[in-house]
Amino acid sequence: MSVTNKSEVDEITDSKKPTTRRLRFAEQQIRQLESNPNVLHVTEKLITYAPSFKMAAVHAHKEGKMPQEIFEEDILDDDS
């Protein structure tokens, strides 16, 4: 592939950058998330998980579980 000018380089470079989704939680979502025992604190932009959940999530991931599976299941009930 031959690139002829800077704008083409910028276009190629920009197309390879990952897109990030800027999610903001509403007050109702924050209250719902904070009622989860695996969550320590929630702000409009950030969820802080309990250390025990983080460790269990890492172990589950090493065992082959996908992140979505980990968050959908209550992994701390599995004899942790």
Side-chain angles (χ1 to χ4, degrees):
M1 173 202 246
S2 173
V3 178
T4 58
N5 61 41
K6 185 181 181 325
S7 64
E8 287 182 66
V9 172
D10 291 341
E11 184 179 324
I12 293 167
T13 304
D14 289 342
S15 69
K16 293 184 179 181
K17 290 181 183 174
T19 57
T20 56
R21 200 171 131 204
R22 306 257 188 244
L23 180 66
R24 293 185 185 268
F25 297 110
E27 281 298 317
Q28 180 182 1
Q29 292 170 313
I30 291 171
R31 285 192 304 273
Q32 182 180 8
L33 287 164
E34 285 183 331
S35 70
N36 185 318
N38 298 321
V39 174
L40 289 180
H41 182 69
V42 181
T43 68
E44 192 177 87
K45 299 181 189 179
L46 181 72
I47 301 173
T48 304
Y49 293 98
S52 57
F53 175 76
K54 290 186 217 181
M55 293 299 297
V58 168
H59 290 296
H61 188 266
K62 285 182 178 180
E63 292 174 359
K65 287 193 179 182
M66 299 301 293
Q68 185 172 348
E69 291 177 287
I70 295 168
F71 288 101
E72 288 175 348
E73 296 175 1
D74 188 1
I75 60 175
L76 294 181
D77 281 347
D78 298 337
D79 297 315
S80 295

